[in-house]
């Protein structure tokens, strides 16, 4: 519950405060231009990275390989895109860190560790759709 309060009230208030202070010191035109520019650059990067990861996922699937790592990349790009279309400086930093490949690698390591922890604790499980097999599978492996 606290996380939802943080996500939907405190973070937007911090973002709003930062944007107001930035417009006070640098001017409203510069502030709006910066927010628009980061949105445009973010959309371009998200499309480019998303297309690249989608091609890699299709290539892996065509070879019969489970693309778990690439699926996590796709998830991070989707999350990063959502953060980039949200106006603000902090959300832009998080968004770019999820989209740029160099920083996404580090975020992916943290994400995989967190997902493995959730799966191993039993709070979340993946199940096979095969009727003969009713066992949970771990798709998040360190490669």
């Amino acid at each position: 519950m606290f996380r939802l309060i943080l996500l939907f009230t405190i973070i937007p208030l911090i973002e709003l405060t930062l944007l107001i202070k930035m417009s006070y010191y640098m001017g409203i035109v510069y502030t709006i231009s910066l927010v628009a520019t980061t949105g445009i650059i973010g959309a371009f990067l998200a499309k480019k990275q998303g297309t690249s990861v989608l091609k890699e996922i299709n290539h892996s699937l065509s070879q019969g390989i489970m693309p778990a790592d690439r699926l996590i990349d796709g998830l991070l790009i989707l999350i990063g895109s959502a953060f980039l279309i949200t106006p603000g400086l902090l959300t832009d930093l998080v968004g770019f860190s999820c989209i740029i490949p160099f920083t996404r690698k580090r975020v992916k390591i943290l994400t995989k560790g967190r997902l493995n922890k959730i799966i191993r604790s039993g709070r979340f499980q993946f199940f096979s759709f095969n009727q003969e097999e009713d066992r949970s599978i771990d798709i998040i492996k360190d490669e």
Side-chain angles (χ1 to χ4, degrees), residues 48 62 73-74 84 109 115 121 127:
K48 184 177 178 186
S62 71
D73 281 334
L84 283 170
I109 291 169
L115 287 173
S121 72
F127 290 98

Side-chain angles (χ1 to χ4, degrees), residues 29 44 63 140:
V29 173
F44 173 76
Q63 293 182 339
I140 304 168

